[in-house]
Amino acid sequence: MKGLWTILLIILSVAPVWAQVPFFKSHEFGEQFQKAKAELIFEDENSALWLGTTQGLFLYDGIEFHPILKEDATSNHVRSVFRDSKSRFWVGYEDGSIYHFHNQQLRAWQPEEGLPRVAVNGFAEDGRGHIWFSTYGEGVYLFDEKRVYNFNQEDGLPGNDIYTLVAGQHGKIWVGTDRGLSHCDFFEENKVVENFSVEDGLPDNIVKAVLADDQGRLWVGTYDGGVCLFDPGTKSFTYPLPQTSFGVVNCLELFAGTDLWIGTAGQGIWRFNLTNKELTPLPKLENTKVADLHKDIEGNIWVLTSNHGIHSANRQFEFVETDFKNTQAVLCDSGNRLWAGTSDGLFVHRVDEKGNSRFQQHLPSLKLNIVSLFEDDFANIWIGTFGAGVYIYQPDNGKVFHLTVENGLKDGNIFSMDGQDGVVWLATFGGVLEVRYDGDVLKGGNMAFRSLDKTTGLGSNFIYKVFIDSRQRVWFGTDGQGLSVLDHGVLKNFSHATHVHTDSLREEDFRLHAVYSITEDQQGHIWLSTDKAGIFEFDGENFLHLTVKEGVRDVEITSLATDANGQILIVHPTGIDLLDPSSKHLIYYDNEVGVSRLDPNLNAVCTDPYGNIWIAGNNKIIKYTSLKDSLEIHPRTLLNNVFVFLEPVDFRSVHSFASHENHLIFSYMGLWYTDPQIVKYRYRMKGYDLSWIESKDRRATYSNLPPGQYTFEVTSTENDAWSDEPVVSYQFKIRSPIWRRWWFIVLLLASVGSFFYWYQKSRDKRVQLVNLLEKDRAESELAALKAQINPHFLFNSFNTLISVIEENPQLAVEYVDNLSDFYRKIMQLRDKELIPIQEEIELLHNYNFLLKKRYGNNFHLNIDVKEGQFYIVPFTLQILVENAVKHNVISKSKPLTVDIRMEGDRYIVVSNAIQPKLTKEKSTRFGLQSIVQGYRLLGNKKVKVEDQAGVFIVSIPVID
């Protein structure tokens, strides 16, 4: 036995080196650019990745490579990429040309001083805002926004072949050449160069890579001297890495406080652990030329190689493959050894002298079914088994002590253990057992036991988890009765959780049932996982419930653990989630980081002395490293393009569109390189959409947008919570058409009003002109009628006078006197268009006298016309009476009566019986026609002429 333990101790004395490896996935350019070789990778201020290749510049969104190529026939071989503080994007090429990428186009930069004729292989910006670019063959150039200056050997540079260019602390410019490390400065147009070589402590003069850390130091990779650390403050070199030959160092990348990655020119990748100072090769991608290394904002490491292409891995997760299954417990002891407890026994992870990783079994003869592991204050391993109690084991000397029901245990099934300062708590089927020891148990130390179960106030005898928090409280996860806590001797149970909804302050009661796992965050809040009910946060008073609604992927949670940054690690069969306790934001990790087919066992997790968390899964053990770098927890949402009718527009400067430019397409992407396929989007058009629209598409189309002010908003998520994801917005407006603008409407109304005013005025003028012409014509015709009336009347009067003279000469004299008075009256009225009805009646009475002198009682004139403000055309009634006398028999046997009367207020009616003469007088029809035509010209009502049963009737309209 002594011989066997001696051999075992020799094996175990070898320094433990864990062969944990990140899960690398490859990224292919596709068939069109399959010959392109990526030589550099650059992350811009939006955390988008740009790749410089032998066939052009590419933007990579995690799913597609988007080529950005020159339009001319010059070289597309990209040697350097950079974005300065003014958001100018610089691209340097193999042929010495320099381009800016702006508005989705490459534009040549052509300074007056000209450009290099050799490759531009680096850019940097100093503390004064000057742009520096390096070349292989012409030294270094500086652009101060006015002109370009060259630094070469004549200015003090040790060589013109520049391998690397970097801005250090305070914007100091450092260049690596084939003759050492140099600091360059430009102050008041003076060139300053300070050189460091092997005489100053540099291990090799050929400096291939320089990397500045957050402390202002420079990690320097050389051609043949490995890697050293330079302090610009003290101007001294130190050598923290072991003396190992890994050849030419092409590139470096640093995870602050964790490790330094070294890319070589033929021996793949090496890693230097900044904590334990171990330098190890990376088993993956071995024997390859590494062109560039880069860590992104999510914690991914990107590797560009010559023969393996582009690879990336999430640095937080590394994997140790196992040759056994069903790992039920893991432990990383104080000696930094990884132990795995399985249903087939106990194993420790080893790397032999040949570099082969393997697990070595301990205590195989005991055939242990291990479900929990714990290390006490004396580096003894406590092995909790299913049914066989606890084995206390010291791996350095092989001593074992078996604790059973016979010597102190109440139950032999040990599901969980935790302890500190001489105390170990054991969770069993029969409650919990407190074990106190006053020395090394394996060296005779005494043990004291105290049991807690249902009889002493514990919620249940079946305990899944025991956990000691920062306040020395002991928490117990029970089966069916929720959570119990022993707080300085007082036992309290929580079988129900009252969850207060923050949005509505509504209380909701949950029965906790089984509590599987317990951990504590940095605020002292207790987190617990339950049986298919998600997780709970307990702040000492209230429980906060997180389920699928809040983004929890799988409610069947097997383990909870808190990392060094205070994040909660949630382990479940689907994968691993990382929860920020403050914001409640969740990040999912699964196949894309190698966490697939995990199949974890209950509480099979542990934390090592450096704060790393180890998680046991099916055929593998996962190491989770909590990086000290500030990592992004959300996808970076970028608005790539805005198209109007499929034509791109410069949306960064254009925010207004015409009314017909209302068919818009928005192209966007969410950068989440850890798992790009999981990203989901939601967008809305404020001013148009009523709510958010969720989609997996990376385009949103809006056709026929009406005029108005709009804001397009889009966000992306890697989980389903949509809680605090940043929103990207674009404000714009669609202008109203001209005919809907206020000034056009006012102008149109004014124009229409002016047109109608002009039209009305023109119409009034035309009407007035027409009326004037009609009036002139009527007056002319009336004048002509009057000119005809006077001779006509005089002719008839003379005929009457002749007949009177022959019959009665004395009467003729009297007749002539009345006739002269009558004619005088006519002469007074002849120039008037209208006369009052009274004047016409008066004239008619004078005429009746003349007729009475002629016909005596054989003629009667009856006038029944009321006085009023009526007018009539002169001589109208006189002519009608005269016509009655002219055309009818007047004798003693047939007297003639003419009646003149008013018919309402509209007409004067003149009527007489029809007594035609035997010998008819020839009628000129002038009298009646002149009356009808005269009233027509006046525009009044028509004259009505009727013959009714032997009565001749003429109705004359009166004029108001």
Side-chain angles (χ1 to χ4, degrees), residues 151-171:
F151 285 65
N152 53 35
Q153 285 182 287
E154 296 178 358
D155 302 300
L157 274 180
N160 289 334
D161 295 333
I162 309 300
Y163 291 107
T164 184
L165 171 70
V166 65
Q169 194 174 41
H170 307 303

Side-chain angles (χ1 to χ4, degrees), residues 32 184 228 235 274 496 642 730 794 801 938:
Q32 183 179 1
C184 298
C228 66
K235 298 182 180 179
L274 298 174
H496 290 76
V642 176
Y730 170 60
L794 184 59
L801 180 60
L938 288 173

Side-chain angles (χ1 to χ4, degrees), residues 249-499:
V249 177
N250 276 348
C251 48
L252 300 168
E253 189 55 279
L254 179 68
F255 288 92
T258 303
D259 51 23
L260 176 73
W261 289 56
I262 305 165
T264 71
Q267 296 190 32
I269 300 172
W270 290 67
R271 290 193 299 177
F272 175 61
N273 190 307
L274 298 174
T275 304
N276 58 28
K277 309 303 180 183
E278 293 177 353
L279 178 67
T280 57
L282 192 69
K284 299 290 183 180
L285 308 177
E286 63 271 14
N287 301 323
T288 186
K289 178 180 179 181
V290 181
D292 201 5
L293 293 170
H294 174 74
K295 67 170 182 181
D296 67 20
I297 195 66
E298 300 170 24
N300 298 308
I301 182 72
W302 294 79
V303 182
L304 275 56
T305 66
S306 59
N307 54 348
H308 292 288
I310 305 169
H311 287 77
S312 69
N314 191 286
R315 174 60 189 86
Q316 298 174 108
F317 295 93
E318 297 176 87
F319 302 88
V320 178
E321 299 294 333
T322 64
D323 52 5
F324 47 80
K325 296 182 179 181
N326 199 24
T327 302
Q328 300 174 142
V330 287
L331 171 69
C332 186
D333 66 15
S334 55
N336 214 23
R337 292 172 294 191
L338 177 64
W339 297 85
T342 75
S343 57
D344 295 322
L346 180 66
F347 296 84
V348 66
H349 184 239
R350 307 291 306 158
V351 176
D352 63 21
E353 65 278 4
K354 295 182 180 179
N356 298 316
S357 171
R358 65 185 181 89
F359 276 89
Q360 181 182 7
Q361 188 171 7
H362 282 237
L363 307 175
S365 61
L366 297 179
K367 298 183 179 187
L368 304 175
N369 184 359
I370 302 171
V371 291
S372 59
L373 293 170
F374 175 75
E375 183 184 28
D376 66 17
D377 299 336
F378 299 96
N380 298 319
I381 307 298
W382 292 53
I383 306 169
T385 69
F386 188 77
V390 177
Y391 288 86
I392 303 174
Y393 171 55
Q394 176 48 252
D396 292 339
N397 56 31
K399 288 185 177 180
V400 178
F401 176 80
H402 191 191
L403 184 62
T404 66
V405 174
E406 286 75 17
N407 57 8
L409 292 182
K410 287 189 63 177
D411 185 86
N413 301 288
I414 315 300
F415 284 97
S416 174
M417 292 184 286
D418 198 5
Q420 58 185 5
D421 300 330
V423 178
V424 181
W425 288 90
L426 310 179
T428 75
F429 274 173
V432 292
L433 182 68
E434 179 189 34
V435 182
R436 292 184 175 270
Y437 53 91
D438 58 6
D440 188 343
V441 175
L442 295 177
K443 294 181 180 180
N446 296 316
M447 289 188 292
F449 303 95
R450 181 173 64 142
S451 178
L452 297 178
D453 54 23
K454 292 184 68 174
T455 62
T456 59
L458 194 63
S460 171
N461 285 343
F462 194 160
I463 309 300
Y464 285 114
K465 177 69 176 178
V466 59
F467 174 78
I468 302 175
D469 68 12
S470 59
R471 295 164 56 185
Q472 309 305 313
R473 296 176 299 181
V474 186
W475 298 83
F476 309 103
T478 75
D479 180 32
Q481 296 301 317
L483 183 68
S484 298
V485 59
L486 182 64
D487 187 357
H488 297 88
V490 178
L491 193 61
K492 187 175 181 180
N493 299 311
F494 300 92
S495 60
H496 290 76
T498 301
H499 169 52

